[in-house]
Amino acid sequence: MSKNPGQLHIEATITPVPAANIVEVFYVQGEGDLIAALGNPTPAPAVDAQREYLPDSFSNPGKESTPEIVDLVERSVAAKDLEARNEVLRQLQVAALEYSMILPICHFERTLASATDVDGLEVYSYGNWDFSGVSVGEQ
């Protein structure tokens, strides 16, 4: 730890892992203490919270949580009213950041350009793209 308040000194050994193996190595084999990777959020934050903050969730490799976080996740999923759900999600965000379960370092915006003769490109609401059906020009 740093001697300066508000600063943190971390020493780490970085082990690069191919993107295709990240889930297996980190979540299944349990190798490593942290992961630096892109998230794959859904359009429903309550679903993301279930996936990442509950102690029995696959995407919570440490299987750690708090009773407050579990309660807030359950309340966010059960909320019938959008305003009520958003308020619970705000409280959940504060609780999760205080507990330091997931520490987002940065977010980037994806930019995609396409021409009028490109067909079959799927852009999903959660930000991923599917190029498997793409064609260019007349077929």
Side-chain angles (χ1 to χ4, degrees):
M1 296 281 275
S2 173
K3 294 178 183 177
N4 298 324
Q7 294 184 1
L8 178 65
H9 175 81
I10 298 174
E11 292 185 24
T13 301
I14 298 173
T15 306
V17 174
N21 299 25
I22 288 174
V23 170
E24 172 68 24
V25 171
F26 188 71
Y27 293 102
V28 177
Q29 297 174 9
E31 294 182 22
D33 295 320
L34 63 90
I35 184 172
L38 297 175
N40 191 18
T42 69
V47 172
D48 293 333
Q50 280 182 302
R51 183 176 65 188
E52 296 171 352
Y53 296 155
L54 296 179
D56 59 350
S57 298
F58 179 78
S59 294
N60 181 348
K63 305 303 180 200
E64 297 289 331
S65 195
T66 69
E68 176 189 17
I69 289 172
V70 171
D71 177 60
L72 289 167
V73 169
E74 291 171 354
R75 288 176 40 210
S76 73
V77 172
K80 304 289 185 219
D81 174 76
L82 183 59
E83 250 183 75
R85 177 177 291 128
N86 286 341
E87 178 53 35
V88 174
L89 287 170
R90 278 190 282 280
Q91 294 172 27
L92 176 58
Q93 182 179 30
V94 170
L97 285 171
E98 285 177 358
Y99 189 65
S100 300
M101 293 186 73
I102 296 174
L103 179 60
I105 297 172
C106 67
H107 292 274
F108 67 94
E109 291 195 25
R110 298 180 186 191
T111 303
L112 178 67
S114 181
T116 56
D117 61 343
V118 174
D119 290 314
L121 175 63
E122 294 285 334
V123 181
Y124 300 112
S125 61
Y126 53 88
N128 282 357
W129 307 312
D130 181 358
F131 293 96
S132 64
V134 170
S135 64
V136 179
E138 294 182 35
Q139 292 191 8

